Amino acid sequence: MAKLTQTVGWDLRLQLRSFIYPATVVSTALICGVILVLPVAALPPDWAAFFVFMDPALIGLSFVGAIVLMEKAEGTIFALGVTPMKPSTYVAAKTITLTLLAFASGLAVAYIASDNYDPWRLLVALTLSSTFAVLIGLACVARVPTMNKLMITLLWVELVLLLPLLSHFGVLPEMLTPVIALIPSYAVLVALMLSLDPAPPSPWAEVYAYGYLAFWCALGWFWALREYTRNIVTEGR
């Protein structure tokens, strides 16, 4: 626990030095600004869920990549391969710090996007979705050496993760929903709708959204840990 606390503190200082916090404020402010200038008195729940969905995705998938690539460029991350620090400690620290950042940012967007949300369901939705995004981003960046390759990798990942938006807005026929529901970002949208839509939630929707996201968070943890161990710890040694 002491090692994890020290690593979390080190990550916070690194993020501060890397201007991650100002970048988060700017990106969140831009999303909130777009919401405020829309010519509507109140956003429908599906649009509110869309804006909240986009914010943690940006932080989780993009910012974690920038941080890890910076550590690679400085050689810091490879030095950790010959220290007593366990790979799980590094992955956990990154997950904690960036999940908290994405959570705070998503909460700010939700506050602007909707005045009728369920705080407890929103808490669960943002925690699970932010954790999922950070772990997927960490797994992706562990195996790429440059920003160009990271951008290409994230482009394909984001194309897949954004596909459920077509179903969310009714562009795709309902018969394809069971297929789209296999993509974890669809569970993120469902979880956000459960917290932003004043209509009574469906118990089955809750089981699917929270259960499927929890499953993907666990899968993302083992995936990120494997990629970090194979591509960073081994190379550092």
Side-chain angles (χ1 to χ4, degrees):
M1 181 61 69
K3 182 64 68 175
L4 176 60
T5 303
Q6 292 175 0
T7 308
V8 167
W10 180 74
D11 266 349
L12 292 174
R13 291 191 294 271
L14 175 64
Q15 291 165 21
L16 182 62
R17 189 184 67 185
S18 306
F19 301 101
I20 294 298
Y21 300 136
T24 301
V25 172
V26 171
S27 66
T28 303
L30 287 174
I31 294 175
C32 292
V34 170
I35 296 172
L36 292 173
V37 300
L38 290 175
V40 293
L43 282 178
D46 55 346
W47 277 97
F50 164 73
F51 282 110
V52 180
F53 169 82
M54 294 303 295
D55 195 63
L58 172 65
I59 296 175
L61 289 177
S62 302
F63 287 1
V64 68
I67 292 174
V68 175
L69 282 180
M70 181 179 297
E71 291 177 337
K72 285 184 177 182
E74 295 176 350
T76 307
I77 193 171
F78 298 115
L80 296 177
V82 294
T83 65
M85 180 187 297
K86 296 180 179 179
S88 57
T89 302
Y90 176 86
V91 175
K94 281 285 186 290
T95 303
I96 291 171
T97 55
L98 288 171
T99 294
L100 289 174
L101 187 63
F103 174 85
S105 181
L107 191 62
V109 174
Y111 179 79
I112 298 298
S114 175
D115 57 0
N116 191 24
Y117 57 84
D118 185 317
W120 292 110
R121 287 192 175 92
L122 184 61
L123 172 69
V124 176
L126 287 176
T127 300
L128 290 174
S129 60
S130 299
T131 302
F132 162 72
V134 169
L135 288 169
I136 296 302
L138 189 58
C140 290
V141 72
R143 60 167 57 202
V144 298
T146 64
M147 180 60 73
N148 288 339
K149 290 189 176 181
L150 176 63
M151 291 176 63
I152 294 173
T153 300
L154 291 183
L155 175 63
W156 289 107
V157 172
E158 289 174 355
L159 283 175
V160 174
L161 294 180
L162 292 177
L163 187 60
L165 286 173
L166 298 177
S167 181
H168 178 69
F169 287 113
V171 177
L172 296 178
E174 289 190 9
M175 64 170 48
L176 294 179
T177 299
V179 178
I180 296 297
L182 296 175
I183 303 174
S185 51
Y186 185 79
V188 173
L189 290 165
V190 174
L192 291 173
M193 285 294 292
L194 289 170
S195 61
L196 298 171
D197 192 346
S202 165
W204 287 111
E206 289 187 294
V207 171
Y208 159 73
Y210 303 143
Y212 199 49
L213 276 178
F215 165 77
W216 270 95
C217 285
L219 187 64
W221 166 263
F222 288 110
W223 183 24
L225 189 60
R226 186 192 68 174
E227 294 299 328
Y228 172 78
T229 303
R230 287 183 176 180
N231 297 285
I232 295 177
V233 173
T234 302
E235 187 171 343
R237 290 172 179 171

